[in-house]
Amino acid sequence: MTRVPQHLALIMDGNGRWATGKGRPRWMGHVRGAHTAREVVTYCAQRGVEQLTLYAFSSDNWKRPADEVGFLFDLFASHLERQLAKLVKNGIRLSVIGRRDRLPRALCDSIEATEAKTAHGTRMHLRVAVDYSSRAAIHEAFAMAEGRGGVLPDTHILPPVDLVLRTGGERRLSDFLLWESAYAELAFLDVNFPDLSTADLDAVFADYAKRERRYGAVPAERATEIEVSPPMSPATSAHR
Ligand code: IPE
Ligand code: IPE
Ligand code: MG
């Protein structure tokens, strides 16, 4: 088994293009995407991912037609209710990150109930980002830290991300976990999210396992190579 990221952040993109590419309405892409999300959660828990953060709805997604926004919220609420027993059985703790004050009351109630009933899960921490903006989260975290002796609240700043995976072919972060991804590895797949398979995840994990994460340091086995070089003279080391 290859080393898997402890914290995987997944930008689930390409639902709309999956549907329109098949001549179907966008909402069908979201339905299929929700199905894929369930499979991804189960598979990541099986593979030993400890933290999985899914980008479900960005604060900029409010710019979409009201019908699509409403559909997404209804879909999320119905999945929360249908998945609750399975989450509890599999030891998966679910939290929702992002703003709550603009979400429908019924959705907030489902979120709160699911969070409470899964709170004891220790196998994997699943976070779903809804009405989420990383820039807004950073602003709020710093505002809250002022009254807490400079300590950032972990409701706003999450544990470091090891791997960001984006489906759908775009190569951008779209305001997702910017602070937490400071040293994250990045992976982009051209596959639209509804088509993401466990084989695709295996390939992404295998590629991740090969990467050398240096965090700015020189790896110990290469540090000696530096010692044998002659010291640089001021003339050659000066900025030119
Ligand atoms: C991602 O798929 C789901 C959400 C952002 C809610 P999109 O809806 O962005 O699909 P594309 O990018 O338009 O294909
Ligand atoms: C990012 O996808 C948000 C989610 C996947 C929830 P978008 O489709 O909204 O991002 P952009 O507009 O292509 O940057
Ligand atoms: Mg998109």
Side-chain angles (χ1 to χ4, degrees):
M1 277 291 189
T2 50
R3 178 172 57 99
V4 296
Q6 282 178 28
H7 186 181
L8 171 66
L10 175 55
I11 304 176
M12 309 183 288
D13 196 23
N15 291 353
R17 279 164 289 162
W18 179 91
T20 48
K22 292 176 157 41
R24 297 183 194 159
R26 288 176 60 86
W27 63 262
M28 283 195 186
H30 296 316
V31 171
R32 284 299 293 258
H35 180 80
T36 302
R38 284 209 309 266
E39 292 181 344
V40 168
V41 168
T42 306
Y43 191 63
C44 285
Q46 269 173 21
R47 288 293 311 264
V49 172
E50 289 166 19
Q51 317 215 34
L52 173 64
T53 306
L54 301 178
Y55 206 5
F57 187 89
S58 79
S59 294
D60 286 318
N61 289 148
W62 284 108
K63 296 170 189 165
R64 296 184 181 205
D67 282 355
E68 180 168 343
V69 171
F71 184 84
L72 285 166
F73 291 158
D74 288 347
L75 186 66
F76 183 45
S78 76
H79 272 265
L80 281 179
E81 280 151 32
R82 279 160 45 193
Q83 289 306 300
L84 176 60
K86 195 172 165 194
L87 292 171
V88 172
K89 181 168 158 263
N90 290 340
I92 297 173
R93 173 182 173 193
L94 181 135
S95 310
V96 174
I97 58 169
R99 280 179 71 164
R100 297 261 169 113
D101 59 310
R102 300 188 287 196
L103 302 182
R105 188 64 247 165
L107 176 57
C108 288
D109 291 346
S110 298
I111 290 171
E112 281 165 25
T114 313
E115 287 180 333
K117 288 175 186 153
T118 63
H120 301 296
T122 53
R123 189 167 174 212
M124 184 172 83
H125 193 168
L126 167 65
R127 295 183 183 86
V128 184
V130 180
D131 198 356
Y132 176 83
S133 153
S134 185
R135 285 171 299 182
I138 292 167
H139 275 134
E140 278 172 40
F142 277 87
M144 288 171 78
E146 270 184 34
R148 296 161 37 112
V151 179
L152 297 174
D154 62 9
T155 47
H156 289 68
I157 300 294
L158 309 184
V161 170
D162 296 301
L163 176 67
V164 176
L165 168 62
R166 182 173 188 143
T167 62
E170 311 293 355
R171 274 122 177 98
R172 55 177 171 255
L173 296 176
S174 302
D175 203 8
F176 190 45
L177 300 176
L178 304 178
W179 178 279
E180 293 86 345
S181 299
Y183 269 100
E185 300 296 322
L186 305 176
F188 299 98
L189 291 180
D190 289 333
V191 55
N192 286 322
F193 185 68
D195 285 332
L196 182 72
S197 66
T198 54
D200 292 325
L201 286 176
D202 283 341
V204 167
F205 290 161
D207 179 65
Y208 169 81
K210 283 191 242 148
R211 302 198 193 180
E212 182 183 53
R213 305 186 69 196
R214 292 192 286 275
Y215 298 95
V218 179
E221 69 276 13
R222 269 187 239 154
T224 52
E225 294 166 18
I226 292 163
E227 285 164 21
V228 296
S229 310
M232 279 189 276
S233 71
T236 56
S237 66
H239 294 291
R240 276 178 260 184

